[in-house]
Amino acid sequence: GEEPARPPVWHAIAAWLRRVFGGRRVATVLGEAVRDRAVQSALLGIVMMLISVAASVLLSAINFGLYTRELHWAQDDYTNLQSYALSLGAVGSAIGGYFADRVGHRRLAGVAALVLAAYYVIWSQLSPHWVDRSYVYAGFWIEPLLVGTINAALFALCMDIAWPAIAAS
């Protein structure tokens, strides 16, 4: 036999909205949610993660242009530097996880972000030395370690503000 006709999907969506909002207006529910401390924390966490990812993508694009066009590195040399960074980022994540348990993930994220900002300022002031590859490799280990540390702290922060049933997923 034939299967019975299923109702359109919007019927299920409408039923879900009625259950969630309990007959109240969407604006009322959203207003209550915005005043809820847990929702505020979640929104701040989303903003922090978006800024972190956007900064990482932006710096990656800038770095590629800097090394290949401005400093005239071959693409293979830049790729080697990035593979070095990948390994150091993993080490930074492990270090970040360890220290997040010891000092707290919020404090660690803040301190590591400030140290990273200071590193960027110092690095930018030493631009005449960027032509020396050994100098670049010697100083380059700092950034991926700090970024890995920050990422570990931010992921711990996200798990802290997430709904416990899904925090680790």
Side-chain angles (χ1 to χ4, degrees):
E2 287 185 32
E3 282 187 40
R6 291 177 25 171
V9 70
W10 57 83
H11 286 254
I13 293 171
W16 177 79
L17 287 171
R18 280 192 300 278
R19 279 195 316 273
V20 169
F21 294 110
R24 298 179 298 164
R25 293 183 39 229
V26 173
T28 304
V29 173
L30 290 177
E32 291 172 5
V34 169
R35 288 187 296 275
D36 185 334
R37 202 74 158 138
V39 173
Q40 290 172 356
S41 294
L43 291 174
L44 182 59
I46 290 168
V47 169
M48 287 175 50
M49 292 303 288
L50 286 174
I51 289 171
S52 175
V53 169
S56 179
V57 169
L58 182 63
L59 283 172
S60 179
I62 289 170
N63 279 344
F64 181 77
L66 170 69
Y67 287 102
T68 59
R69 288 193 292 273
E70 300 294 324
L71 299 176
H72 307 291
W73 286 33
Q75 227 173 328
D76 288 346
D77 294 335
Y78 177 72
T79 302
N80 288 338
L81 183 67
Q82 290 304 309
S83 64
Y84 176 61
L86 187 61
S87 300
L88 289 169
V91 171
S93 294
I95 291 170
Y98 174 80
F99 282 111
D101 287 342
R102 301 290 178 266
V103 301
H105 46 273
R106 287 180 175 92
R107 179 175 290 144
L108 179 65
V111 169
L114 288 174
V115 172
L116 182 62
Y119 167 76
Y120 286 142
V121 169
I122 292 167
W123 180 257
S124 72
Q125 298 305 306
L126 297 172
S127 61
H129 300 284
W130 294 353
V131 292
D132 180 3
R133 289 184 188 215
S134 60
Y135 171 79
V136 171
Y137 272 91
F140 192 75
W141 65 272
I142 298 168
E143 180 187 20
L145 277 174
L146 288 170
V147 169
T149 300
I150 291 168
N151 284 338
L154 289 179
F155 275 98
L157 176 69
C158 287
M159 285 190 280
D160 192 33
I161 61 177
W163 179 30
I166 61 165
S169 62

